[in-house]
Amino acid sequence: MEKVTKFFDWIYWLFMTICKLCFIGMVGITAFVVFNRYIIKGSLVWGEPVVLMFMVYMSLISAALAIRKDTHIRMAVIDMIVPPNVVCVMRAVSQVFIFLFGVFLIVFGWKFSMLAKRNVITGVGITSMWLYLSCPVAGIAFCLMEIERFINFWVRIKHGERLGDRSIADEAKELVKDAEDQNIQNEFFSVGGTK
């Protein structure tokens, strides 16, 4: 399992590095375009399309990276109503659908990017295929992050760990208790207690 974790750590690092480079490229090129437009009084026609391409790649790939640590925003009201076993099944089904969405991005994103070979991005002179290849790249990231989750799921079941014991409502209660404890400590220190 340690080799599997190292492999997915490397994959995560690779996609995160792509996102970071895209972000740096966006900021740098945007600053350069603004500098040219308002200081030098010259316009760079290639700046906006390149920034757009970086933004699309960063957005799609970073959405895939949030899968690994389950940091996506979600509505969890139903978790407080249904039994824990149902919550567990709902989470499993959602992970399967995310994997299928990744496969969809790979298959149809590839087809769409091959159709876009005929178009040229204005100002840059490259085909639109390079912009639309962000979909299959993100699809690969989605699938890889989900494969790691599936492997972790089976390993946890194999070791007898019960799934779905803690609901989001339980986690919310713990967060409230921690906040209350911190608030009590802050009141103590502000009244004149010593650290």
Side-chain angles (χ1 to χ4, degrees):
M1 186 63 192
E2 187 177 328
K3 289 181 181 178
V4 172
T5 303
K6 283 185 180 179
F7 171 75
F8 284 107
D9 284 343
W10 182 81
I11 293 292
Y12 185 84
W13 175 86
L14 176 68
F15 284 116
M16 182 62 85
T17 303
I18 292 171
C19 288
K20 289 176 183 177
L21 291 174
C22 287
F23 182 73
I24 291 167
M26 283 171 51
V27 171
I29 292 171
T30 302
F32 189 60
V33 167
V34 169
F35 178 79
N36 272 302
R37 185 172 296 158
Y38 293 105
I39 305 298
I40 299 177
K41 304 293 184 193
S43 182
L44 300 174
V45 289
W46 57 267
E48 185 179 340
V50 172
V51 168
L52 174 70
M53 186 181 307
F54 285 159
M55 183 187 71
V56 169
Y57 272 90
M58 186 185 74
S59 300
L60 291 174
I61 293 172
S62 63
L65 295 179
I67 292 170
R68 186 175 199 212
K69 297 185 179 177
D70 199 22
T71 55
H72 279 287
I73 296 172
R74 62 177 170 243
M75 296 298 291
V77 175
I78 198 164
D79 291 2
M80 299 177 196
I81 301 168
V82 297
N85 291 339
V86 175
V87 172
C88 186
V89 169
M90 287 172 27
R91 288 184 184 175
V93 168
S94 71
Q95 297 307 317
V96 170
F97 275 112
I98 291 171
F99 182 81
L100 293 175
F101 179 67
V103 172
F104 174 83
L105 282 175
I106 294 169
V107 172
F108 290 99
W110 178 260
K111 288 180 181 178
F112 190 65
S113 60
M114 291 301 110
L115 288 173
K117 283 199 295 190
R118 301 177 193 143
N119 300 335
V120 175
I121 299 175
T122 307
V124 185
I126 61 173
T127 64
S128 296
M129 173 191 76
W130 295 104
L131 176 64
Y132 297 117
L133 274 176
S134 60
C135 288
V137 170
I140 291 168
F142 270 84
C143 290
L144 287 171
M145 296 300 116
E146 278 301 327
I147 287 171
E148 183 186 21
R149 288 192 66 135
F150 293 149
I151 291 171
N152 287 335
F153 174 78
W154 290 114
V155 166
R156 286 166 54 198
I157 287 179
K158 184 179 176 185
H159 287 99
E161 186 178 330
R162 289 188 59 196
L163 303 173
D165 284 345
R166 287 173 39 112
S167 68
I168 293 178
D170 296 332
E171 293 172 9
K173 288 175 186 172
E174 288 179 14
L175 287 172
V176 168
K177 186 176 182 325
D178 287 343
E180 288 173 351
D181 291 344
Q182 288 178 0
N183 197 14
I184 290 170
Q185 288 176 354
N186 290 339
E187 288 176 5
F188 174 75
F189 290 129
S190 65
V191 170
T194 57
K195 288 188 179 181

